[in-house]
Amino acid sequence: MTTLITNIGELTTNVRGDGDPCGTLRDAAVLIDGGRIAWVGAAADAPAADEVVDAGGAAMIPGFVDSHSHLVFGGDRAAEFEARMAGQKYAAGGIRSTVAATRAASDDELRARLRGFLDEMLAQGTTTVEIKSGYGLSVVDEERLVRLAAEVTPEVTFLGAHVVPAEYADRPDDYVDLVTGPMLDACAPHSRWIDVFCETGAFTVPQSRRVLEAGIARGLAPRVHASQLGPGEGVQLAVELGAASIDHGTYLTDDDIAALAASDTVLTLLPGVEFSTRQPYPDARRLVDAGVTVALACDTNPGSSFTSSMPFCIAIAVRDMGMTPAEAVWAATAGGARALRRDDVGVIAPGARADLVLLDAPTRIHLAYRPGVPLVRTVWKDGVAVG
């Protein structure tokens, strides 16, 4: 079964050409064969197909690639959000309240909520998502979180080193022993990635190194939460260990930026966090101009960024972080794919997965130009129209 989507007014392919990183084509068409893209080009040159869809001159982009989320959790932290809006400072310790609620929830309750979040994301154009554990913080609970995540995505990250749980508050190194031993043994079979929150109030640089190196030894690839609450050594550690991404990066030094620019490590910015915590927004303009590869992600979680809307994050990145609309859309698609070390998503090119988003707008600029407006008309996931 082949499907031709034609009369696309503006097609963002993310196949770089003529200095345009978005690889923009006008009056374009895309041919889907099964779950893959078979052909891309001018509508006038399009091949025949079993089914033809007229885009009506609207814009099309690759499906969003959300490379940082925490979707398996129980409970709610609306009261904490209200307190922050009244002036209370954000701190990593709030995670523990979600841990208690998650431990109390059944597998079926967590699974149903996870499915709901994924449906919510898909409706807004997100077709690839990474999911972290980190709200169990015991061997049994971390194992079930990565196992549930693995039911819906191959991009599963073991984040047992999210914070030190209350029962280990006075014995953080003992908890690191648990994370790098029995917990890693239980979670590695369900995971692709290992992550750690290298931050004041969470894990020190030596503890973070232990966690990441243990995961690497078990065949997991590293990612790092760092420089969210203040400057630190987490970025340098991430680059040294060849991490696919360092996430947050709200507070970066010149040396951090230089190290990232000279590396293959992607900096994943999470605008929803700064929006929800009232921290300063990172200067994405400075990063892009320095040659850092930037991704955008939602960081969907109940404490610091309870949004699943990539268009919302794009609008913030353009309005408050200095990115152009083209840069922000690239970061939310191809950038996210780079952060997951994937070349089959985040692009519209022959052989890539047929994950496509048709906008109810003539250009990708409208994702930032019309913030808060539901502009996703149709989503194709693996070649199947789902909305």
Side-chain angles (χ1 to χ4, degrees):
M1 175 70 177
T2 57
T3 300
L4 180 71
I5 308 169
T6 189
N7 195 18
I8 302 168
E10 178 193 83
L11 179 65
T12 298
T13 68
N14 287 339
V15 178
R16 184 183 294 271
D18 296 327
D20 174 14
C22 287
T24 309
L25 300 179
R26 311 286 178 185
D27 301 320
V30 176
L31 181 68
I32 300 170
D33 188 353
R36 298 278 176 168
I37 296 169
W39 178 90
V40 179
D45 300 328
D50 299 317
E51 176 188 29
V52 177
V53 176
D54 187 344
M60 174 173 280
I61 62 173
F64 295 125
V65 180
D66 193 332
S67 60
H68 185 128
S69 80
H70 305 253
L71 299 183
V72 192
F73 64 86
D76 183 274
R77 284 156 67 184
E80 179 186 315
F81 174 80
E82 183 180 39
R84 280 203 307 276
M85 295 304 100
Q88 182 174 306
K89 186 177 180 180
Y90 175 74
I95 293 167
R96 289 175 178 165
S97 65
T98 299
V99 170
T102 303
R103 289 177 176 179
S106 69
D107 280 14
D108 285 343
E109 289 170 334
L110 294 174
R111 185 180 285 114
R113 201 169 195 197
L114 169 60
R115 293 283 182 181
F117 288 136
L118 290 172
D119 289 345
E120 189 177 282
M121 294 172 122
L122 188 62
Q124 298 175 90
T126 297
T127 52
T128 301
V129 62
E130 178 262 15
I131 301 175
K132 303 178 190 297
S133 66
Y135 290 127
L137 308 189
S138 70
V139 173
V140 169
D141 287 298
E142 284 294 299
E143 187 278 336
R144 72 183 182 127
L145 298 192
V146 292
R147 174 168 43 83
L148 292 172
E151 293 178 358
V152 299
T153 181
E155 304 299 343
V156 177
T157 300
F158 167 47
L159 182 59
H162 200 182
V163 294
V164 177
E167 60 268 31
Y168 282 88
D170 298 323
R171 300 176 293 134
D173 287 331
D174 288 349
Y175 181 66
V176 174
D177 290 340
L178 181 70
V179 169
T180 57
M183 195 180 288
L184 178 59
D185 290 340
C187 294
H190 305 289
S191 305
R192 182 185 177 199
W193 305 96
I194 181 80
D195 199 345
V196 62
F197 193 7
C198 182
E199 195 76 60
T200 300
F203 295 89
T204 65
V205 171
Q207 291 168 340
S208 298
R209 180 182 293 276
R210 283 187 58 198
V211 169
L212 295 172
E213 289 182 342
I216 292 168
R218 288 297 302 271
L220 304 183
R223 323 180 68 77
V224 181
H225 284 58
S227 299
Q228 176 186 359
L229 305 178
E233 300 174 48
V235 172
Q236 302 293 332
L237 177 65
V239 170
E240 176 193 339
L241 295 181
S245 71
I246 174 270
D247 298 25
H248 288 292
T250 309
Y251 297 92
L252 298 177
T253 66
D254 290 344
D255 286 345
D256 290 336
I257 293 172
L260 286 166
S263 76
D264 293 328
T265 299
V266 174
L267 176 58
T268 302
L269 300 178
L270 309 167
V273 174
E274 282 75 36
F275 178 87
S276 297
T277 61
R278 285 183 168 165
Q279 289 183 271
Y281 288 106
D283 185 353
R285 178 79 273 129
R286 177 186 177 206
L287 299 167
V288 172
D289 288 347
V292 176
T293 301
V294 173
L296 289 176
C298 289
D299 192 8
T300 308
N301 76 83
S304 63
S305 183
F306 205 7
T307 180
S308 60
S309 174
M310 197 70 87
F312 173 70
C313 291
I314 288 171
I316 294 176
V318 173
R319 166 63 176 79
D320 292 305
M321 294 163 57
M323 300 186 88
T324 68
E327 288 167 344
V329 170
W330 188 95
T333 52
R338 294 265 187 100
L340 295 176
R341 293 189 169 160
R342 298 274 296 270
D343 59 11
D344 62 332
V345 295
V347 296
I348 300 177
R353 291 185 177 276
D355 293 351
L356 311 166
V357 175
L358 184 65
L359 300 177
D360 194 13
T363 74
R364 59 182 172 250
I365 297 169
H366 286 66
L367 289 166
Y369 179 43
R370 304 199 69 207
V373 177
L375 293 181
V376 174
R377 182 190 300 176
T378 307
V379 179
W380 284 264
K381 170 63 178 168
D382 294 323
V384 178
V386 293

